[in-house]
Amino acid sequence: MKKLSFLIAGITFLVTMEACKKWGDHIALPEQQLSETLMEHIKKDPQLSSFANYVQQTGLDSLLNASKNITVFAPGNDALATLPGSVTSNPAQLKAFLQNHISTNAYFTRDAVDSLRVPMANGKRIFFIARKFDEANITEGDIYVSNGVLHKIDKAIVPLQSIWEYILDSKSSFLQNNYISSLNYLGQDPNLAELDSINPATGEPVYKPGTGIVNINTFKTKVMDVANEDSLFTYILLTNDAFNAEKTRLRPYFNGANADTANSNTSWAAVKDFAVRGLYTEANLPAVLESKFGVKIAMNRASIVSVKKLSNGIAYVMNASGIALQEKIPVVYLEGENPYAFSVPNSATIFYRDRMNPLTGTNFKDIYLNMGSSGANRYVSYYTNQLYTTKYKVYLMSLNDKVVSPQADGTYGTDSTLSHTVRVFNRQADTLALRFESSVNVTTNTYTEFYLGEFTNDEYNWLLSYPVSSPSGVAYTLNPATRYIRVVAPATATGRPFNLTVNYLRFEPVF
């Protein structure tokens, strides 16, 4: 109890000291300063006369006189002397520049830690670390007045473009940015659309058709929203020669009935991995970055042509992609426990099993369809949209054994060899067209893959840059590029059951 009393007393002491510290910030200041607004105090400071004049010129003086907690990082006259005429003579640019030094929250130097990015009045965020505001030094800080705090700085901080603004601004110079900026479609923005009703089944809002329709860019929705100022990104931009070389390298893997679709898919495959979450400066640049899609990007410093600092990250202009072909055209796995559909008799029992491979010691999940003697020609079905136009080696991992049920209701499995046929289809009109077929005897207690043969996918007839769903909400999950894969029981099986078991199917590209 004595220890607890001392602990409570210690916490109370610390809280009291912090409160006293904050109160001391007030009482240590002259009474006149506490009665001044930021604007009034700045106007009285001869070192900030240029800043005060610009603030009044743009009408921002009303903000600095407002009853709010505001922080101003004010550059001195010397820092503003070199401000270009293109800024000072342009009211919109001048206002945006000044807003880049004003935050509508109060920030003291004691708040400045490595992770602090201060939200500015122009929508940007700027690092405030120790006694530095971006690249400017704080020459005099924590000047507390009635409606906020003032920090004097020795350098003017010009607003930077976001990565998205940079992409749009340089689209005439870079083929990659020109392609990305063209990926627009019309969609409904819930923030702008008119509410029609609430879906009684789901509780989701239903918006009036045709309202809130805006241009949406699929790079921002399917890759990363590099316009977001609240996050940090690293963007990789290929030179035009490198971008064309990358498209030439990838073009054979996206053949289709329509040349424009094939060319667009090649461009999409080239750019989709070039936005990475997080800020990786030259000082902390790792040898390999990883994209949202798990693709590894080798950041060879010898390939870096230039580096551009941006408001929400950094851009590296590079003369080579740094991505291996095996990363762009990956091995495709279809996990057995994630089927798309079944064709099974009513008497069938479907087990989702937690297993362990005794050869590797790794745990895995699979599916087991116990159909006994009534499962002739029945199947379990999967699908994928990730088979591009190349040759694939096809493997089946199928564990056929007998185990005790975890529900303690007996055993499931069989001691018999099972027959599985794997078929690959694509959809033509309303029918499925067979593109590959191979059968295998799944012997008991075999813990290695069964090789089924080679499958060549000859067309990819879907635009990869399409949104996930149409403006009306129809999902594009299944499309003309979809390949349907079935694991099928035999038509006849003498002395053995029609059971099926699937751990995974693997499609390995042949380069």
Side-chain angles (χ1 to χ4, degrees):
M1 288 301 292
K2 284 184 178 181
K3 290 181 179 179
L4 180 59
S5 299
F6 286 136
L7 178 60
I8 293 172
I11 294 172
T12 304
F13 173 77
L14 291 174
V15 172
T16 304
M17 288 299 293
E18 179 62 19
C20 289
K21 185 177 185 298
K22 292 183 178 180
W23 178 246
D25 291 335
H26 290 73
I27 63 175
L29 297 173
E31 184 178 345
Q32 181 182 358
Q33 187 171 308
L34 283 173
S35 65
E36 291 175 341
T37 65
L38 280 161
M39 191 65 218
E40 290 168 341
H41 188 78
I42 289 169
K43 285 175 66 177
K44 289 172 55 179
D45 191 331
Q47 296 179 340
L48 302 179
S49 58
S50 295
F51 184 79
N53 289 336
Y54 288 140
V55 168
Q56 289 178 305
Q57 184 179 325
T58 55
L60 288 171
D61 53 332
S62 60
L63 174 61
L64 300 194
N65 278 320
S67 299
K68 297 181 178 180
N69 279 326
I70 299 168
T71 301
V72 176
F73 298 88
N77 294 340
D78 291 343
L80 291 175
T82 57
L83 199 61
S86 59
V87 174
T88 57
S89 62
N90 185 312
Q93 286 192 31
L94 180 59
K95 185 172 184 179
F97 165 79
L98 294 171
Q99 289 174 324
N100 208 50
H101 296 78
I102 301 170
S103 177
T104 54
N105 294 294
Y107 293 97
F108 293 88
T109 54
R110 65 172 178 264
D111 301 319
V113 295
D114 288 355
S115 59
L116 180 60
R117 295 176 66 226
V118 176
M120 310 312 294
N122 61 356
K124 303 293 181 179
R125 282 183 176 265
I126 298 180
F127 280 107
F128 181 26
I129 303 172
R131 293 188 67 84
K132 289 188 74 72
F133 177 68
D134 195 68
E135 297 178 354
N137 296 302
I138 295 177
T139 57
E140 189 176 348
D142 299 332
I143 303 170
Y144 196 55
V145 295
S146 64
N147 66 338
V149 60
L150 170 68
H151 305 284
K152 294 183 184 181
I153 59 177
D154 64 358
K155 185 176 182 180
I157 305 301
V158 177
L160 297 175
Q161 293 177 320
S162 69
I163 292 175
W164 183 245
E165 289 168 334
Y166 174 55
I167 289 173
L168 296 181
D169 186 57
S170 60
K171 64 182 181 181
S172 61
S173 301
F174 291 99
L175 294 173
Q176 177 177 319
N177 287 349
N178 184 64
Y179 170 72
I180 290 174
S181 63
S182 71
L183 297 173
N184 296 322
Y185 70 98
L186 291 177
Q188 191 172 53
D189 184 344
N191 295 318
L192 301 174
E194 187 178 344
L195 183 65
D196 182 59
S197 61
I198 300 296
N199 187 318
T202 65
E204 296 292 324
V206 178
Y207 299 100
K208 287 186 178 180
T211 65
I213 301 300
V214 296
N215 267 320
I216 299 174
N217 185 278
T218 50
F219 186 86
K220 292 163 67 177
T221 58
K222 296 185 77 170
V223 181
M224 286 187 184
D225 183 6
V226 292
N228 184 357
E229 295 280 0
D230 294 334
S231 297
L232 288 168
F233 308 93
T234 297
Y235 177 61
I236 298 161
L237 174 60
L238 298 185
T239 63
N240 290 343
D241 286 345
F243 186 61
N244 283 330
E246 182 71 353
K247 290 200 301 180
T248 299
R249 182 176 72 133
L250 296 176
R251 179 62 179 80
Y253 301 94
F254 297 94
N255 291 321
N258 184 287
D260 289 340
T261 299
N263 290 332
S264 179
N265 283 343
T266 302
S267 296
W268 177 265
V271 306
K272 72 177 180 65
D273 299 297
F274 285 151
V276 177
R277 190 168 296 281
L279 174 64
Y280 296 95
T281 63
E282 288 182 276
N284 71 347
L285 184 65
V288 176
L289 295 177
E290 187 170 317
S291 80
K292 170 184 176 179
F293 306 102
V295 170
K296 293 178 175 57
I297 310 155
M299 296 300 291
N300 184 350
R301 290 179 181 269
S303 300
I304 299 174
V305 176
S306 62
V307 182
K308 190 172 182 65
K309 180 182 176 182
L310 298 160
S311 63
N312 62 346
I314 192 168
Y316 290 95
V317 180
M318 305 188 71
N319 60 20
S321 80
I323 301 177
L325 188 59
Q326 289 83 352
E327 296 284 334
K328 287 290 188 181
I329 313 297
V331 175
V332 176
Y333 282 88
L334 301 177
E335 298 294 341
E337 71 273 16
N338 298 319
Y340 163 62
F342 296 102
S343 171
V344 294
N346 292 333
S347 59
T349 304
I350 300 172
F351 297 94
Y352 295 86
R353 307 189 295 183
D354 291 309
R355 311 304 309 281
M356 192 270 287
N357 187 326
L359 299 183
T360 63
T362 56
N363 295 321
F364 66 91
K365 295 179 180 292
D366 73 356
I367 192 170
Y368 182 80
L369 284 73
N370 185 1
M371 297 185 290
S373 60
S374 57
N377 294 316
R378 299 304 183 102
Y379 59 83
V380 57
S381 182
Y382 304 87
Y383 76 90
T384 179
N385 298 324
Q386 294 180 296
L387 295 176
Y388 304 122
T389 55
T390 190
K391 183 184 294 183
Y392 290 88
K393 290 184 177 180
V394 186
Y395 297 86
L396 171 68
M397 184 64 177
S398 179
L399 182 55
N400 174 19
D401 62 0
K402 181 180 286 188
V403 295
V404 177
S405 168
Q407 286 77 35
D409 56 357
T411 60
Y412 57 79
T414 177
D415 296 322
S416 302
T417 296
L418 301 176
S419 296
H420 290 15
T421 298
V422 174
R423 294 172 181 154
V424 180
F425 304 84
N426 69 312
R427 187 171 292 281
Q428 291 183 345
D430 294 328
T431 62
L432 292 179
L434 182 64
R435 291 289 177 257
F436 171 86
E437 182 176 54
S438 179
S439 298
V440 63
N441 287 325
V442 181
T443 52
T444 58
N445 301 313
T446 301
Y447 293 90
T448 55
E449 295 176 322
F450 295 95
Y451 175 62
L452 301 177
E454 292 184 341
F455 160 65
T456 298
N457 195 36
D458 52 6
E459 284 190 331
Y460 197 92
N461 294 318
W462 183 251
L463 200 61
L464 287 168
S465 62
Y466 264 11
V468 176
S469 60
S470 70
S472 62
V474 177
Y476 291 138
T477 306
L478 303 177
N479 56 62
T482 301
R483 295 297 176 258
Y484 301 84
I485 299 92
R486 290 178 179 175
V487 181
V488 188
T492 59
T494 303
R496 64 178 67 170
F498 291 99
N499 298 348
L500 296 174
T501 171
V502 183
N503 180 1
Y504 61 77
L505 289 145
R506 183 166 71 91
F507 292 78
E508 180 184 316
V510 179
F511 295 107

